[in-house]
Amino acid sequence: MDGFAGSLDDSISAASTSDVQDRLSALELRVQQQEDEITVLKAALADVLRRLAISEDHVASVKKSVPSKGQPGIREAISMSCITNGSGANRKQSHTSSVSVARKETLSSAAKSIKRPPTTEKSHNSWENSDDSRNKLLKVVSTSKLISKVIKNTDKHKDVITNQGSFVTISLSTFIKPVYVGGNGGTRDFFFFSRKGEYIKMFMRGRPITMFIPSDVDNYDDIRTELPPEKLKLEWVYGYRGKDCRANVYLLPTGEIVYFIASVVVLFNYEERTQRHYLGHTDCVKCLAIHPDKIRIATGQIAGVDKDGRPLQPHVRVWDSVSLSTLQIIGLGTFERGVGCLDFSKADSGVHLCVIDDSNEHMLTVWDWQKKLKGAEIKTTNEVVLAVEFHPTDANTIITCGKSHIFFWTWSGNSLTRKQGIFGKYEKPKFVQCLAFLGNGDVLTGDSGGVILIWSKTTVEPTPGKGPKGVYQISKQIKAHDGSVFTLCQMRNGMLLTGGGKDRKIILWDHDLNPEREIEVPDQYGTIRAVAEGKADQFLVGTSRNFILRGTFNDGFQIEVQGHTDELWGLATHPFKDLLLTCAQDRQVCMWNSVEHKLEWTRLVDEPGHCADFHPSGTVVAVGTHSGRWFVLDAETRDLVSIHTDGNEQLSVMRYSVDGTFLAVGSHDNFIYLYVVSENGRKYSRYGKCNGHSSYITHLDWSPDNKYIMSNSGDYEILYWDIPSGCKLIRNRSECKDIDWTTYTCVLGFQVFGVWPEGSDGTDINALVRSHNRKVIAVADDFCKVHLFQYPCSKAKAPSHKYSAHSSHVTNVSFTYSDSHLISTGGKDMSIIQWRLVEKLSLPQNEIVADTTFTKAPISSTESAIRSDTPTLPSQPLNETAEEESRISNSPTLLENSLEQTVEPCEDHSEEQSEGGSEELGEAACEERPQEQQRGSPLPEDQQAPAPLP
């Protein structure tokens, strides 16, 4: 045996010794996790004590005149029948009762030492009757020695006995103080901190998260977290939704192109390079219609759900494109799923509005929108409906078309009667895609076969006793495109523009419907989704790859708007220039200029991008992908500098050290890979690997001296790493409590834990960033909101400014180098939104009054101070207060469902109302400021490399 042992010792190599060390480290980590599990167990036992005390108190109050008989064990068992699991509402009220903590070490004395809650609260302290809970409680009662032993061990650990579902805690010594915060799914969590100033412990999904209090915090009770004086103003929206929408680009008489992305309707003046925004919607805008007066606009949105699970109803908003004020909200409680298409009447000057919703029956409703009255409603078909339009001269005729059908509706009073279009000898198309009208009243349809059909109204023999009937029949067929005819545009001069799907051609037809001119949209822009008449001989084109092009038949196309075409996660801002970089699942890497609001360059990489970071020199940028590969690109020329691979799973974070000598790469394989960087970011050599997380890496930050890294993972761990010592895990985490991190992007930590909302499940916050001046924190959440908190944010339920513009989970946020702007990215909505930071205290007192009038005025003194060397545009600021009043008065349902704009329970919301009103109305960022006038040159076609459609 000894010989075997000796041979075993001789066979141990340096590599195996390293493996043993790794195993020891893993075992130590496991022991630490088990200690945390013991803490949760102690919390459950404490919950038992509290429930026993409450049940005894309840029985005593009901039978206080009847003496208790029988053995104590039986009496305790009887009291169990009164225990029920109360609802979230009841729990919240029971928390308000003043319940002291016990300091005894036996079950009976601990139960007796709990202060009795007021009698008015007793009805809220009952718990649901369940066999499992009773059995567990009886088992605990029968093992009082075990409870006593655990209670004694509590003094050793100096921890707290609590549970995620608890509302009252039992502290067994004098050094623990509970701080209440919200729990998950109706339950409640607690933060705890030591009166000796050691740590705060936060439970998330039952998992304890320990955060040590820095040494410079003398008294945690003295910390106050208030709303930051800074606020955000929406300045620019990058992107356009053309991928899955149609007929959503128009030119207004003001010279602005109107289109939408996310929950924002954008009015873009391409000559003056300015944007205005309508922000009334609460979720994705899906369709758009222009009133005959070319001033009023109707936009329809889909249904949504807010952070508390309450439905956001689909509806149509009619609004003024000059003042941006809401005129009417139509269809709350009427439409299902969303609004598919809509149109204003023409023959009666736009008094009525017809709408098709996205329900299974595709309900057609006709509204007197100014009176908010529904005139008629009827089921159309179970097939897809793609378009609805009023006849331009016959106010009683409505046409709908879609999959394998075209219907002609006659509207009379509150009834709608349908006549189906008969194709007869002509081939029935799979889809009738679009509608238009000739001057003589004939109807034009474009279909998936590339054919234009002319439907003329004919008179048939009258039925005895009734007048003659008009029936639309096909009078002519024209082969127009290879592939589908996706859009038709009737021009002011009576000529027709058609846009093809497969052939990507735009064709001009004369008055006799003979083709006159044509032009092909280049393949990199995608297929045609919308065509609209522009100024003079120009036309506008929206494409499936989210481009808006302005072109003529003579000069070709110029890009006006572009964006990503798939889910967007990666974001990085330049260290000393007004540039930002984005990467998405469409494999595009895009460099944007945040001053001129244009794309500098784009490059198509081999794999979907997920994260990025600039080297501090600004010369290169590292981009992480979904496969473990990462690229280094030249920030000026977009040339590929190097390619590396770490694992085969998604990379979630790239982070350079402050001096650029190290790069940390966080992966979904639970490792952090370290590289030494030289030659100004152009050379990389592997330094080591941080091994210790039990879940994927989500965020990380460097210390100023490059010695330490703080990291978060998917299972809510906060770990610290000693880099010079070989990327070792620091076991004593309290050693890192005083490190002043270069950046702060970790979502868990003492300085930022107050950003977590009530009821959070640990995935509600996607990204967090601290401003360079260390004044504020920006947070991207899963509920389409961007938040602005004060830094540090070390108190539970901290207040924040809350802003709406995205219609999907907000995936990332980043401040520009000067902290003048914040950039946020949307996931599924594929939008990039640029916010300006404005000091609240520096705003003039009459700011809101000035904004309520729609006048051409220069930018405010505050804005001119921010960028005084930029020429100002005589712009039209958003009438925000008037819009808010209109929305509230016209939408009581939305007002009732709206959430608080700040999460401070006792905060006066009038300030945030001026900032944009209720959250549900989506107005937190609704104030529009005059924008700088920029001259944006179009990007040459050879610099464009958009990804193909998925």
Side-chain angles (χ1 to χ4, degrees), residues 317 326 329 881-896 898 913 917-918 921 923:
R317 286 176 175 264
T326 302
I329 300 174
T881 303
E883 178 182 359
E884 171 63 18
E885 293 173 354
S886 173
R887 291 177 189 176
I888 291 176
S889 62
N890 291 328
S891 179
T893 306
L894 283 182
L895 180 61
E896 291 172 4
S898 64
Q913 289 293 337
S918 65
L921 290 178
E923 299 207 354

Side-chain angles (χ1 to χ4, degrees), residues 135 214 257 274 328 416 458 495 552 567 593 703 834:
N135 291 337
I257 303 173
T274 60
Q328 198 61 272
L416 285 161
T458 60
M495 300 180 77
T552 64
E567 189 167 356
N593 188 312
S703 64
Q834 181 173 319

Side-chain angles (χ1 to χ4, degrees), residues 54-91:
I54 292 172
S55 62
E56 285 184 347
D57 185 45
H58 180 72
V59 172
S61 63
V62 174
K63 301 180 178 180
K64 59 182 178 179
S65 61
V66 179
S68 299
K69 295 182 180 181
Q71 297 177 355
I74 297 175
R75 186 168 64 251
E76 291 169 354
I78 293 173
S79 68
M80 300 299 171
S81 63
C82 300
I83 297 176
T84 59
N85 287 325
S87 65
N90 291 342
R91 295 177 182 181

Side-chain angles (χ1 to χ4, degrees), residues 380-554:
T380 59
T381 175
N382 289 333
E383 302 289 355
V384 175
V385 179
L386 299 176
V388 60
E389 291 202 29
F390 274 100
H391 194 282
T393 57
D394 185 355
N396 296 323
T397 298
I398 300 171
I399 300 102
T400 63
C401 65
K403 185 176 181 180
S404 302
H405 75 272
I406 178 171
F407 295 146
F408 299 89
W409 302 86
T410 301
W411 172 40
S412 177
N414 59 358
S415 67
L416 285 161
T417 56
R418 185 183 77 181
K419 293 179 182 178
Q420 184 168 353
I422 305 300
F423 291 91
K425 63 180 181 180
Y426 300 97
E427 182 180 356
K428 189 175 184 179
K430 187 174 182 180
F431 289 94
V432 180
Q433 302 264 32
C434 48
L435 298 168
F437 300 92
L438 296 178
N440 60 4
D442 287 352
V443 180
L444 297 179
T445 61
D447 61 42
S448 54
V451 172
I452 297 176
L453 295 175
I454 303 175
W455 301 76
S456 301
K457 193 171 186 178
T458 60
T459 303
V460 298
E461 289 296 325
T463 304
K466 296 184 179 180
K469 291 185 177 181
V471 176
Y472 283 92
Q473 295 181 344
I474 298 173
S475 60
K476 187 176 181 181
Q477 174 181 275
I478 303 170
K479 179 63 176 177
H481 290 269
D482 295 330
S484 65
V485 180
F486 209 88
T487 181
L488 298 170
C489 174
Q490 189 74 36
M491 303 178 70
R492 291 183 294 269
N493 60 10
M495 300 180 77
L496 181 72
L497 283 174
T498 62
K502 182 179 179 180
D503 63 7
R504 304 188 314 280
K505 287 183 179 180
I506 296 175
I507 301 176
L508 177 66
W509 304 79
D510 63 19
H511 295 82
D512 297 323
L513 292 182
N514 297 312
E516 190 169 284
R517 303 197 64 177
E518 70 176 48
I519 188 172
E520 184 174 329
V521 174
D523 180 61
Q524 69 260 30
Y525 301 140
T527 58
I528 297 168
R529 284 285 185 262
V531 175
E533 188 173 8
K535 295 181 179 179
D537 60 344
Q538 297 177 351
F539 49 85
L540 304 172
V541 182
T543 75
S544 60
R545 291 185 186 166
N546 296 343
F547 286 88
I548 295 179
L549 309 173
R550 179 168 55 92
T552 64
F553 288 103
N554 292 326

